[in-house]
Amino acid sequence: MRTKIIGTGSYAPDRVVTNNHLAEIVETSDEWIRTRTGIGQRHISDGPGTTAMAAEAARRAMDNAGVSPEDIDIIIVGTTTADHCFPSAACEVQGAIGAVHAVAYDISAACSGFIFSLNTADALMKTGAYRTGLVIGADNLSKIVDWTDRSTCVLFGDGAGAAVVKAYSETDDRSEGVMCMNMGSDGQKASVLECQSRTMENFLTKGQPKPGYITMEGQEVFKFAVKKVPECILKVLSDSGTDISEIRYFVLHQANYRICESISRRLKVSMDRIPMNIEEYGNTSGATIPVLLDELNRAGKLNPGDKLIMAGFGAGLTWGAVLIQW
Ligand code: COA
């Protein structure tokens, strides 16, 4: 079995918050944010939560793929900001779109969430158990950002991206779809990027639940990203016997323009093969990669036969890459 992406969709809230807006609430500037990160603005939800954003991205992806909700037999959502502890965002998306025949669940891998979800869907589809799936990356980070902490609040935004995936049997065109993947995690480094649970107290411990916000050692994350992302990209290339010159686009997690530039230097790949949209959205965590993929798809930049590598990294720490042929 081969898992192929047959449609994409994305959603970002209407409300745009510019760097200058943020300079009104914390001590920062448009110049600092742009030069250190490449971010010019972000979309922040003043209404729709993770489920609503994910469901809208899913509807757009199904429309793009020409499939109906009844065709979907598995939904995986990569998110760390589900609207509720339970049910999962995926079950809520299932309910919202009416995918009555699907099994649905979330994967928690932070900004690597879409890659982990796609790789999991691919592995399940290879068993023959599922034929048509929705893989979604969606996050509503604005609700877990500390809006008084300038070192983190300028980085993040809200959004969702989705892909419809379909299993093709060995007798179909085998040259399309997921070719090779690689994932990793390092729990020893968990504390460099975390968000504490909001419900750590109970009647025995007598404490009051405290709000948990994102905390981050920015430079540690930066160093980790520029090392691990090239490593896992090189691994999928060598595992699949693919030369780097064959890759049309590297669709990378949008966390910082300078991280992507550093990856481009390490891989000796020019930035015109590393599409960027961080200027518009900031870091939308699990959503960055599928949103960027959707933009490339809708702009007609992906041609049948193009090889792409999608790669991301995030809290956990986690990282992963997947090589696909469009
Ligand atoms: N505006 C103005 N100044 C800021 C600022 C802001 N928003 N945030 C931090 N600063 C200040 C710091 O206080 C520090 O001041 P000091 O020198 O007086 O102490 C100075 O800018 C430099 O801070 P530093 O943290 O060294 O900056 P940096 O060049 O490492 O950039 C990040 C910070 C967060 C942009 C960068 O480390 C980064 O992108 N890391 C990776 C983060 C990431 O990808 N996270 C998501 C993972 S999925």
Side-chain angles (χ1 to χ4, degrees), residues 67-113:
V67 302
S68 66
E70 293 79 17
D71 297 325
I72 303 293
D73 53 20
I74 184 165
I75 301 171
I76 306 180
V77 179
T79 187
T80 43
T81 51
D83 295 339
H84 303 107
C85 285
F86 51 83
S88 65
C91 283
E92 292 192 325
V93 168
Q94 177 188 22
I97 66 174
V100 289
H101 303 305
V103 61
Y105 58 92
D106 293 351
I107 284 184
S108 173
C111 303
S112 309

Side-chain angles (χ1 to χ4, degrees), residues 5-9 61 114 118 133-136 161-165 290 293:
I5 294 176
I6 60 165
T8 61
F114 180 78
L118 178 60
L134 262 172
V135 178
I136 302 172
V164 176
V165 290
L293 186 71

Side-chain angles (χ1 to χ4, degrees), residues 28 32 36 111 150-151 216 218-219 221 253 255-256 258 283:
T28 190
W32 191 96
R36 299 288 177 126
C111 303
R150 69 175 182 174
S151 70
M216 181 177 70
Q219 291 187 3
V221 177
H253 174 46
N256 186 318
R258 290 186 298 132
N283 179 350

Side-chain angles (χ1 to χ4, degrees), residues 30-277:
D30 180 57
E31 199 264 336
W32 191 96
I33 300 169
R34 280 182 190 275
T35 52
R36 299 288 177 126
T37 71
I39 297 168
Q41 60 175 45
R42 68 286 295 141
H43 294 245
I44 300 289
S45 176
D46 54 9
T50 297
T51 297
M53 294 191 292
E56 188 52 33
R59 286 185 200 99
R60 293 175 185 183
M62 288 188 294
D63 191 44
N64 185 241
V67 302
S68 66
E70 293 79 17
D71 297 325
I72 303 293
D73 53 20
I74 184 165
I75 301 171
I76 306 180
V77 179
T79 187
T80 43
T81 51
D83 295 339
H84 303 107
C85 285
F86 51 83
S88 65
C91 283
E92 292 192 325
V93 168
Q94 177 188 22
I97 66 174
V100 289
H101 303 305
V103 61
Y105 58 92
D106 293 351
I107 284 184
S108 173
C111 303
S112 309
F114 180 78
I115 300 290
F116 278 40
S117 299
L118 178 60
N119 290 343
T120 303
D122 175 50
L124 287 168
M125 286 185 152
K126 284 203 167 87
T127 70
Y130 302 101
R131 295 209 56 87
T132 310
L134 262 172
V135 178
I136 302 172
D139 271 301
N140 188 190
L141 287 186
S142 64
K143 71 183 179 189
I144 57 166
V145 161
D146 177 353
W147 291 102
T148 65
D149 176 9
R150 69 175 182 174
S151 70
T152 54
C153 77
V154 300
L155 303 176
F156 300 108
D158 299 328
V164 176
V165 290
K166 194 162 170 49
Y168 284 88
S169 69
E170 300 292 348
T171 51
D172 295 327
D173 182 355
R174 294 182 59 191
S175 62
E176 294 178 330
V178 175
M179 298 171 68
C180 187
M181 64 88 173
N182 171 252
M183 295 185 284
S185 49
D186 180 2
Q188 302 284 324
K189 302 257 177 61
S191 64
V192 304
L193 178 53
E194 64 178 4
C195 178
Q196 296 262 323
S197 166
R198 292 178 183 216
T199 52
M200 289 182 68
E201 303 295 344
N202 62 32
F203 73 102
L204 293 175
T205 55
K206 304 262 191 282
Q208 290 297 315
K210 292 183 233 31
Y213 295 113
I214 295 174
T215 56
M216 181 177 70
E217 293 174 37
Q219 291 187 3
E220 287 304 310
V221 177
F222 197 105
K223 283 187 272 180
F224 145 75
V226 299
K227 181 168 179 289
K228 278 295 174 197
V229 175
E231 272 177 21
C232 71
I233 288 174
L234 292 172
K235 180 147 174 48
V236 291
L237 288 170
S238 79
D239 287 353
S240 63
T242 307
D243 191 84
I244 198 162
S245 64
E246 296 175 48
I247 305 301
R248 177 74 191 90
Y249 290 119
F250 297 83
V251 182
L252 305 183
H253 174 46
Q254 303 287 292
N256 186 318
Y257 198 96
R258 290 186 298 132
I259 290 178
C260 292
E261 276 184 329
S262 172
I263 293 167
S264 107
R265 282 193 298 275
R266 284 173 191 235
L267 293 176
K268 300 188 176 53
V269 162
S270 67
M271 281 302 285
D272 60 6
R273 288 162 69 198
I274 303 184
M276 300 294 300
N277 64 7

